[in-house]
Amino acid sequence: MRIDILSLFPKIIKSSLEHSIIKKALDKNLVTIKYHNIRDYSKNKYKKVDDYQYGGGSGMVLMIQPICDCIKELKKERKYCKIIYLTPDGKKLDQGTSNKCSLLENILLICGHYKGIDQRIREHFVTDEISIGDYVISGGELAASVFCDSVIRLVPGVLGDESSALTDSFQDNRLSEPIYTRPENYKGLLVPKILISGNTKEIERWREKKSLERTKKYRPDLL
């Protein structure tokens, strides 16, 4: 998998993706991430990339020219399965989307900033618009990091135990069950006896029951 990221502040994304599981994926060459600074494609002598919006209103807008030229340059080298714009008014990112994207070969991400990007980019280049939640943050960089993390961990070979991802929350539209580890007894706080019984079938039933209970209590909308 290759992910190209267009951003005004690529260092923000890069610093968050150079640790833990994602770093291992990069080191194994299972995933390649390339960063492209939008400002590098500006034809303005001061490298200006934003301007006031037509019709008036507060907030600056990223101009069409630098983003358009960057996309066109990258598309000369490869065909993208998806060109994704990270925006608060996009489709909310969920596990199903991450699962599907983990099977793609080439993904291009566009990080908005300020008030957003010129609408013509969205209409003529973007294939998907994704939000990480119903709130606004300063730019698309953190959203890009979240998207990349949620997708890359699902790429075959990234996780040491690939079956681990299959039991994550939201994989079956449910929350995961409670989990415990050693010690069995911590100052009177005990691990449920069923989990140390060795009875695999009963443990699976318990996990299924607890998963359903937690989902009904905390996220009934998933059922």
Side-chain angles (χ1 to χ4, degrees):
M1 171 184 281
R2 175 182 168 120
I3 301 176
D4 287 276
I5 305 176
L6 280 62
S7 166
L8 285 181
F9 304 99
K11 288 183 179 180
I12 295 177
I13 313 167
K14 189 175 182 181
S15 63
S16 67
L17 296 177
E18 293 187 336
H19 307 278
S20 189
I21 293 172
I22 309 304
K23 184 179 186 301
K24 291 179 181 178
L26 296 172
D27 290 344
K28 291 180 180 178
N29 293 318
L30 296 172
V31 178
T32 299
I33 301 177
K34 296 294 183 180
Y35 304 92
H36 309 274
N37 194 320
I38 296 171
R39 205 174 295 278
D40 292 340
Y41 292 84
S42 174
K43 292 182 178 179
N44 180 281
K45 67 177 181 178
Y46 300 110
K47 295 300 181 180
K48 181 179 175 65
V49 294
D50 61 314
D51 210 332
Y52 295 102
Q53 56 183 306
Y54 279 120
S58 60
M60 305 296 280
V61 179
L62 289 182
M63 299 158 67
I64 185 172
Q65 178 270 312
I67 300 175
C68 179
D69 285 0
C70 182
I71 293 174
K72 286 184 175 180
E73 189 68 28
L74 292 173
K75 288 179 74 175
K76 290 178 183 178
E77 302 173 5
R78 65 190 47 80
K79 182 177 180 180
Y80 289 97
C81 306
K82 288 185 181 294
I83 297 179
I84 299 171
Y85 174 46
L86 297 153
T87 172
D89 56 352
K91 176 187 175 184
K92 194 178 294 184
L93 179 64
D94 58 23
Q95 193 64 40
T97 300
S98 296
N99 288 340
K100 292 175 183 177
C101 289
S102 71
L103 302 175
L104 302 179
E105 184 176 354
N106 293 307
I107 300 174
L108 177 59
L109 301 180
I110 303 173
C111 300
H113 216 78
Y114 310 123
K115 202 69 176 177
I117 64 175
D118 190 293
Q119 180 66 23
R120 289 167 289 186
I121 293 292
R122 300 174 73 164
E123 292 175 353
H124 297 286
F125 293 99
V126 172
T127 63
D128 298 79
E129 299 186 343
I130 289 179
S131 165
I132 59 169
D134 295 337
Y135 50 87
V136 177
I137 54 180
S138 299
E141 286 75 23
L142 294 180
S145 296
V146 170
F147 174 85
C148 289
D149 192 293
S150 73
V151 169
I152 292 173
R153 65 187 300 276
L154 299 172
V155 172
V158 172
L159 294 178
D161 180 2
E162 293 184 13
S163 64
S164 173
L166 299 178
T167 58
D168 287 341
S169 290
F170 307 113
Q171 282 290 11
D172 295 315
N173 286 326
R174 293 186 183 182
L175 302 182
S176 62
E177 73 283 354
I179 54 176
Y180 301 84
T181 188
R182 293 181 177 82
E184 177 185 335
N185 183 339
Y186 181 71
K187 299 181 179 180
L189 302 175
L190 305 177
V191 172
K193 289 184 178 180
I194 183 64
L195 296 179
I196 55 177
S197 67
N199 189 327
T200 304
K201 287 186 177 180
E202 289 302 316
I203 290 173
E204 288 306 312
R205 289 195 187 100
W206 180 88
R207 285 175 170 163
E208 182 86 7
K209 177 184 175 183
K210 292 298 181 181
S211 171
L212 189 57
E213 286 177 355
R214 292 189 76 235
T215 307
K216 284 181 177 179
K217 182 176 181 180
Y218 297 110
R219 289 295 303 275
D221 57 295
L222 293 174
L223 299 174

PDB file of all heavy atoms in Angstrom, residues 153-169 171-172:
ATOM      1  N   ARG A 153      -3.033  -0.490  10.300  1.00  0.00           N
ATOM      2  CA  ARG A 153      -2.974  -1.620  11.233  1.00  0.00           C
ATOM      3  C   ARG A 153      -3.708  -2.845  10.707  1.00  0.00           C
ATOM      4  O   ARG A 153      -3.491  -3.969  11.179  1.00  0.00           O
ATOM      5  CB  ARG A 153      -3.528  -1.213  12.604  1.00  0.00           C
ATOM      6  CG  ARG A 153      -5.002  -0.856  12.592  1.00  0.00           C
ATOM      7  CD  ARG A 153      -5.449  -0.307  13.941  1.00  0.00           C
ATOM      8  NE  ARG A 153      -5.243  -1.264  15.014  1.00  0.00           N
ATOM      9  CZ  ARG A 153      -6.109  -2.230  15.297  1.00  0.00           C
ATOM     10  NH1 ARG A 153      -7.208  -2.371  14.596  1.00  0.00           N
ATOM     11  NH2 ARG A 153      -5.866  -3.064  16.294  1.00  0.00           N
ATOM     12  N   LEU A 154      -4.591  -2.651   9.721  1.00  0.00           N
ATOM     13  CA  LEU A 154      -5.364  -3.752   9.158  1.00  0.00           C
ATOM     14  C   LEU A 154      -4.708  -4.376   7.932  1.00  0.00           C
ATOM     15  O   LEU A 154      -5.160  -5.407   7.434  1.00  0.00           O
ATOM     16  CB  LEU A 154      -6.774  -3.265   8.777  1.00  0.00           C
ATOM     17  CG  LEU A 154      -7.635  -2.731   9.927  1.00  0.00           C
ATOM     18  CD1 LEU A 154      -8.911  -2.108   9.378  1.00  0.00           C
ATOM     19  CD2 LEU A 154      -7.964  -3.844  10.921  1.00  0.00           C
ATOM     20  N   VAL A 155      -3.647  -3.756   7.431  1.00  0.00           N
ATOM     21  CA  VAL A 155      -2.948  -4.302   6.268  1.00  0.00           C
ATOM     22  C   VAL A 155      -2.312  -5.640   6.650  1.00  0.00           C
ATOM     23  O   VAL A 155      -1.654  -5.742   7.693  1.00  0.00           O
ATOM     24  CB  VAL A 155      -1.865  -3.311   5.776  1.00  0.00           C
ATOM     25  CG1 VAL A 155      -0.996  -3.947   4.693  1.00  0.00           C
ATOM     26  CG2 VAL A 155      -2.517  -2.035   5.260  1.00  0.00           C
ATOM     27  N   PRO A 156      -2.517  -6.683   5.851  1.00  0.00           N
ATOM     28  CA  PRO A 156      -1.951  -7.998   6.183  1.00  0.00           C
ATOM     29  C   PRO A 156      -0.462  -7.943   6.474  1.00  0.00           C
ATOM     30  O   PRO A 156       0.310  -7.349   5.724  1.00  0.00           O
ATOM     31  CB  PRO A 156      -2.235  -8.818   4.914  1.00  0.00           C
ATOM     32  CG  PRO A 156      -3.469  -8.187   4.336  1.00  0.00           C
ATOM     33  CD  PRO A 156      -3.316  -6.709   4.619  1.00  0.00           C
ATOM     34  N   GLY A 157      -0.065  -8.550   7.592  1.00  0.00           N
ATOM     35  CA  GLY A 157       1.331  -8.600   7.981  1.00  0.00           C
ATOM     36  C   GLY A 157       1.751  -7.537   8.963  1.00  0.00           C
ATOM     37  O   GLY A 157       2.837  -7.614   9.542  1.00  0.00           O
ATOM     38  N   VAL A 158       0.885  -6.533   9.181  1.00  0.00           N
ATOM     39  CA  VAL A 158       1.257  -5.436  10.082  1.00  0.00           C
ATOM     40  C   VAL A 158       1.158  -5.874  11.541  1.00  0.00           C
ATOM     41  O   VAL A 158       2.088  -5.688  12.327  1.00  0.00           O
ATOM     42  CB  VAL A 158       0.381  -4.189   9.831  1.00  0.00           C
ATOM     43  CG1 VAL A 158       0.645  -3.132  10.903  1.00  0.00           C
ATOM     44  CG2 VAL A 158       0.664  -3.616   8.456  1.00  0.00           C
ATOM     45  N   LEU A 159       0.039  -6.456  11.921  1.00  0.00           N
ATOM     46  CA  LEU A 159      -0.131  -6.931  13.291  1.00  0.00           C
ATOM     47  C   LEU A 159       0.534  -8.293  13.453  1.00  0.00           C
ATOM     48  O   LEU A 159       0.460  -9.142  12.561  1.00  0.00           O
ATOM     49  CB  LEU A 159      -1.615  -7.045  13.656  1.00  0.00           C
ATOM     50  CG  LEU A 159      -2.401  -5.732  13.724  1.00  0.00           C
ATOM     51  CD1 LEU A 159      -3.864  -6.011  14.048  1.00  0.00           C
ATOM     52  CD2 LEU A 159      -1.814  -4.806  14.777  1.00  0.00           C
ATOM     53  N   GLY A 160       1.155  -8.519  14.604  1.00  0.00           N
ATOM     54  CA  GLY A 160       1.785  -9.796  14.871  1.00  0.00           C
ATOM     55  C   GLY A 160       0.775 -10.933  14.844  1.00  0.00           C
ATOM     56  O   GLY A 160       1.036 -12.012  14.312  1.00  0.00           O
ATOM     57  N   ASP A 161      -0.390 -10.686  15.413  1.00  0.00           N
ATOM     58  CA  ASP A 161      -1.481 -11.655  15.413  1.00  0.00           C
ATOM     59  C   ASP A 161      -2.644 -11.020  14.663  1.00  0.00           C
ATOM     60  O   ASP A 161      -3.372 -10.198  15.214  1.00  0.00           O
ATOM     61  CB  ASP A 161      -1.895 -11.994  16.851  1.00  0.00           C
ATOM     62  CG  ASP A 161      -3.032 -12.997  16.913  1.00  0.00           C
ATOM     63  OD1 ASP A 161      -3.482 -13.460  15.839  1.00  0.00           O
ATOM     64  OD2 ASP A 161      -3.491 -13.319  18.029  1.00  0.00           O
ATOM     65  N   GLU A 162      -2.816 -11.395  13.403  1.00  0.00           N
ATOM     66  CA  GLU A 162      -3.822 -10.754  12.569  1.00  0.00           C
ATOM     67  C   GLU A 162      -5.242 -10.987  13.066  1.00  0.00           C
ATOM     68  O   GLU A 162      -6.141 -10.204  12.800  1.00  0.00           O
ATOM     69  CB  GLU A 162      -3.681 -11.220  11.116  1.00  0.00           C
ATOM     70  CG  GLU A 162      -2.391 -10.737  10.474  1.00  0.00           C
ATOM     71  CD  GLU A 162      -2.294 -11.111   9.012  1.00  0.00           C
ATOM     72  OE1 GLU A 162      -3.317 -11.521   8.433  1.00  0.00           O
ATOM     73  OE2 GLU A 162      -1.190 -10.996   8.446  1.00  0.00           O
ATOM     74  N   SER A 163      -5.448 -12.077  13.790  1.00  0.00           N
ATOM     75  CA  SER A 163      -6.786 -12.356  14.311  1.00  0.00           C
ATOM     76  C   SER A 163      -7.184 -11.358  15.387  1.00  0.00           C
ATOM     77  O   SER A 163      -8.363 -11.211  15.706  1.00  0.00           O
ATOM     78  CB  SER A 163      -6.850 -13.782  14.883  1.00  0.00           C
ATOM     79  OG  SER A 163      -5.985 -13.902  16.005  1.00  0.00           O
ATOM     80  N   SER A 164      -6.194 -10.651  15.948  1.00  0.00           N
ATOM     81  CA  SER A 164      -6.475  -9.659  16.994  1.00  0.00           C
ATOM     82  C   SER A 164      -7.416  -8.582  16.485  1.00  0.00           C
ATOM     83  O   SER A 164      -8.332  -8.143  17.191  1.00  0.00           O
ATOM     84  CB  SER A 164      -5.166  -9.027  17.480  1.00  0.00           C
ATOM     85  OG  SER A 164      -5.414  -7.958  18.358  1.00  0.00           O
ATOM     86  N   ALA A 165      -7.215  -8.133  15.249  1.00  0.00           N
ATOM     87  CA  ALA A 165      -8.044  -7.075  14.689  1.00  0.00           C
ATOM     88  C   ALA A 165      -9.489  -7.513  14.515  1.00  0.00           C
ATOM     89  O   ALA A 165     -10.415  -6.688  14.535  1.00  0.00           O
ATOM     90  CB  ALA A 165      -7.481  -6.630  13.338  1.00  0.00           C
ATOM     91  N   LEU A 166      -9.711  -8.818  14.360  1.00  0.00           N
ATOM     92  CA  LEU A 166     -11.064  -9.316  14.138  1.00  0.00           C
ATOM     93  C   LEU A 166     -11.920  -9.232  15.388  1.00  0.00           C
ATOM     94  O   LEU A 166     -13.149  -9.294  15.306  1.00  0.00           O
ATOM     95  CB  LEU A 166     -11.010 -10.778  13.657  1.00  0.00           C
ATOM     96  CG  LEU A 166     -10.274 -11.012  12.333  1.00  0.00           C
ATOM     97  CD1 LEU A 166     -10.241 -12.494  12.003  1.00  0.00           C
ATOM     98  CD2 LEU A 166     -10.928 -10.229  11.202  1.00  0.00           C
ATOM     99  N   THR A 167     -11.280  -9.081  16.543  1.00  0.00           N
ATOM    100  CA  THR A 167     -12.036  -8.998  17.799  1.00  0.00           C
ATOM    101  C   THR A 167     -12.084  -7.577  18.338  1.00  0.00           C
ATOM    102  O   THR A 167     -12.531  -7.358  19.459  1.00  0.00           O
ATOM    103  CB  THR A 167     -11.411  -9.928  18.861  1.00  0.00           C
ATOM    104  OG1 THR A 167     -10.043  -9.568  19.077  1.00  0.00           O
ATOM    105  CG2 THR A 167     -11.488 -11.383  18.418  1.00  0.00           C
ATOM    106  N   ASP A 168     -11.638  -6.612  17.560  1.00  0.00           N
ATOM    107  CA  ASP A 168     -11.695  -5.215  17.991  1.00  0.00           C
ATOM    108  C   ASP A 168     -13.139  -4.737  18.051  1.00  0.00           C
ATOM    109  O   ASP A 168     -14.032  -5.285  17.400  1.00  0.00           O
ATOM    110  CB  ASP A 168     -10.933  -4.315  17.008  1.00  0.00           C
ATOM    111  CG  ASP A 168      -9.433  -4.487  17.122  1.00  0.00           C
ATOM    112  OD1 ASP A 168      -8.978  -4.987  18.153  1.00  0.00           O
ATOM    113  OD2 ASP A 168      -8.726  -4.119  16.163  1.00  0.00           O
ATOM    114  N   SER A 169     -13.349  -3.667  18.816  1.00  0.00           N
ATOM    115  CA  SER A 169     -14.659  -3.026  18.828  1.00  0.00           C
ATOM    116  C   SER A 169     -15.046  -2.609  17.414  1.00  0.00           C
ATOM    117  O   SER A 169     -14.189  -2.242  16.616  1.00  0.00           O
ATOM    118  CB  SER A 169     -14.639  -1.783  19.735  1.00  0.00           C
ATOM    119  OG  SER A 169     -14.533  -2.148  21.089  1.00  0.00           O
ATOM    120  N   GLN A 171     -15.961  -4.278  14.848  1.00  0.00           N
ATOM    121  CA  GLN A 171     -15.807  -5.204  13.728  1.00  0.00           C
ATOM    122  C   GLN A 171     -17.129  -5.913  13.405  1.00  0.00           C
ATOM    123  O   GLN A 171     -17.430  -6.172  12.261  1.00  0.00           O
ATOM    124  CB  GLN A 171     -14.715  -6.246  14.026  1.00  0.00           C
ATOM    125  CG  GLN A 171     -13.309  -5.727  13.846  1.00  0.00           C
ATOM    126  CD  GLN A 171     -12.943  -5.462  12.386  1.00  0.00           C
ATOM    127  OE1 GLN A 171     -13.797  -5.464  11.510  1.00  0.00           O
ATOM    128  NE2 GLN A 171     -11.690  -5.196  12.121  1.00  0.00           N
ATOM    129  N   ASP A 172     -17.915  -6.241  14.425  1.00  0.00           N
ATOM    130  CA  ASP A 172     -19.213  -6.879  14.212  1.00  0.00           C
ATOM    131  C   ASP A 172     -20.336  -5.964  14.679  1.00  0.00           C
ATOM    132  O   ASP A 172     -21.367  -6.436  15.152  1.00  0.00           O
ATOM    133  CB  ASP A 172     -19.283  -8.215  14.969  1.00  0.00           C
ATOM    134  CG  ASP A 172     -18.288  -9.228  14.415  1.00  0.00           C
ATOM    135  OD1 ASP A 172     -18.208  -9.344  13.186  1.00  0.00           O
ATOM    136  OD2 ASP A 172     -17.594  -9.877  15.211  1.00  0.00           O
TER     137      ASP A 172
END
